[in-house]
Amino acid sequence: MNEPLKLRLNVPSGLAVQPVSLPWLSKGWKIPQGFAPSVSVFLHMMNIEGTNATVVLGDPEEKVDLLGVISNDVKSQKYLGQLVAIPVRTGVRFPTVPADPRLGTLGDESHRDQCLACLAQLGLPLTYPLQLDGLTYSLQDVLQDSLANFDLHQKELEWTGLAYALYLPPLRQWKNRFGDRYSFDDLTNELLSRSLVHSACGGSHRLILLTILHRADKEHQILSEDVRGRLEEFLRGAVKLAVSTQRPDGTWPIDWIHGLIPDGAPQNWSAKDTLGADILIGGHVIEWFFNMPEALQPPRKTLEAALKAVRSRVCTLDERNFFADFCPNSHALRVVNLAAEKRSESSESSE
């Protein structure tokens, strides 16, 4: 299957939320002075703007095609100072930031298979070309390398699993270069058994992946009946917990996921609620809700309260503060404006 599954976001219509309008963003994305461009920032910009996303950077300033930087080594060397993707024995690889982030580079993806997963979400087929070292490769080569080196016990499965859920169905199984065979049942069971403590972005990417697996299974029956039932029961319980732990102001405590941790609340939890944490958790939880089928989504009042809380915080950010924590801020900006856009479309169609 060359085309990824097209699992559109389910943004309810008519949610009472206004768009975020940031004066410094009125002319498009621009890397502020003192901030370095990176693959992670580029992927998050594309998550908002799509495959045609551009950013102004450099001296003299130049408008740059972000997908071109990620898929062409000449452009990646020019704008990031290094290769973003490299040919390897088992295909093509987007290098991931090492365990010690101080050793990372601007061209490293922040999470294993982050680039592949994001490009799958953007709808790019596996035949999409990558120009590297004067030769033409494709995203199929990236998927091939990922499959060859897959390990069910790797530190992060969230982006690897997302890429597989979008590109592999109707296949239910795959094997790595050692001949070890895995299935979507194995992946789902592993995700459900892992603690959410220290999982990226407050565990929200884990919840998003499990929701995508649920939706992919609805289309292609990639799960066994037992695992399908276990997954749906978990998701219903997770939504119920999210609704019950939401604060009156629409935010969530950073430890709201404790009720989903298989081994109970950790004893050494030290994360603190802050303005940044409100944006991080709120924006990602709303995105998780938007990925759900309508039957699993929370009540409208839960969504509206969350959107208003996130919007009020994002609207206070100037350009430098926004870029200082680009990942969570971009997720929050995206979900608020998606909801506002859907509301506008609903109003126009009713006139």
Side-chain angles (χ1 to χ4, degrees):
M1 180 174 179
N2 283 324
E3 298 285 339
L5 291 181
K6 300 296 194 298
L7 300 180
R8 297 181 181 275
L9 295 178
N10 290 315
V11 183
S13 59
L15 292 171
V17 61
Q18 297 296 319
V20 173
S21 180
L22 300 171
W24 53 266
L25 192 53
S26 61
K27 295 183 179 180
W29 293 110
K30 178 181 177 181
I31 303 294
Q33 187 174 3
F35 286 83
S38 69
V39 165
S40 177
V41 168
F42 286 0
L43 290 173
H44 283 87
M45 288 179 176
M46 291 171 64
N47 192 39
I48 296 174
E49 305 290 345
T51 55
N52 294 322
T54 61
V55 64
V56 173
L57 51 78
D59 186 16
E61 292 183 347
E62 183 178 354
K63 182 176 284 189
V64 177
D65 164 33
L66 299 184
L67 182 56
V69 174
I70 291 173
S71 61
N72 185 294
D73 62 353
V74 174
K75 292 182 178 180
S76 68
Q77 285 182 311
K78 178 178 180 180
Y79 298 112
L80 294 174
Q82 67 180 80
L83 299 176
V84 171
I86 54 175
V88 294
R89 182 164 59 93
T90 48
V92 170
R93 185 174 305 164
F94 291 101
T96 307
V97 66
D100 185 345
R102 293 173 298 179
L103 302 177
T105 65
L106 299 175
D108 292 340
E109 58 184 12
S110 299
H111 309 277
R112 182 168 173 175
D113 290 319
Q114 181 186 22
C115 288
L116 183 61
C118 290
L119 296 177
Q121 286 184 298
L122 289 167
L124 294 186
L126 289 171
T127 53
Y128 190 84
L130 305 174
Q131 303 298 327
L132 308 171
D133 200 23
L135 299 174
T136 300
Y137 297 88
S138 71
L139 289 179
Q140 178 67 58
D141 296 301
V142 182
L143 177 60
Q144 176 181 302
D145 174 68
S146 177
L147 293 169
N149 294 283
F150 178 78
D151 178 4
L152 190 63
H153 304 295
Q154 66 193 49
K155 180 180 178 181
E156 287 188 319
L157 286 167
E158 282 80 353
W159 286 266
T160 303
L162 180 56
Y164 292 6
L166 295 178
Y167 278 131
L168 290 184
L171 296 178
R172 299 176 61 160
Q173 297 183 339
W174 63 92
K175 63 180 180 178
N176 62 18
R177 60 192 173 100
F178 304 107
D180 301 322
R181 189 173 293 278
Y182 301 96
S183 68
F184 282 112
D185 273 2
D186 297 328
L187 176 62
T188 303
N189 283 327
E190 177 66 18
L191 291 166
L192 290 173
S193 69
R194 288 190 178 190
S195 171
L196 281 163
V197 177
H198 307 307
S199 179
C201 301
S204 299
H205 286 286
R206 180 91 53 84
L207 298 175
I208 290 172
L209 170 54
L210 288 167
T211 301
I212 294 299
L213 286 168
H214 171 73
R215 293 180 64 187
D217 178 62
K218 291 291 186 182
E219 292 198 19
H220 291 290
Q221 294 189 323
I222 58 175
L223 301 175
S224 66
E225 185 174 347
D226 288 346
V227 175
R228 180 180 302 124
R230 185 184 176 201
L231 174 57
E232 183 161 344
E233 181 181 6
F234 173 85
L235 290 174
R236 290 188 183 280
V239 174
K240 184 177 180 179
L241 180 65
V243 172
S244 67
T245 55
Q246 187 182 36
R247 296 183 179 121
D249 68 353
T251 64
W252 278 272
I254 198 168
D255 62 354
W256 80 271
I257 59 168
H258 282 184
L260 299 175
I261 296 170
D263 50 358
Q267 298 301 310
N268 61 345
W269 185 263
S270 60
K272 296 180 179 179
D273 289 312
T274 62
L275 172 63
D278 286 347
I279 294 175
L280 169 70
I281 301 301
H284 279 82
V285 169
I286 295 168
E287 185 171 325
W288 168 48
F289 289 155
F290 285 176
N291 271 284
M292 289 179 174
E294 292 181 16
L296 287 180
Q297 287 184 335
R300 293 177 66 87
K301 64 179 183 180
T302 300
L303 286 169
E304 290 184 338
L307 286 163
K308 289 176 181 177
V310 166
R311 182 185 183 279
S312 69
R313 286 155 176 77
V314 174
C315 284
T316 68
L317 299 175
D318 60 23
E319 184 178 35
R320 301 192 70 80
N321 284 327
F322 192 101
F323 272 82
D325 213 359
F326 194 90
C327 164
N329 294 335
S330 68
H331 280 276
L333 174 67
R334 177 178 183 240
V335 295
V336 172
N337 284 349
L338 281 172
E341 181 181 347
K342 185 77 172 191
R343 180 189 186 195
S344 177
E345 291 175 355
S346 301
S347 297
E348 291 177 0
S349 62
S350 63
E351 291 178 358

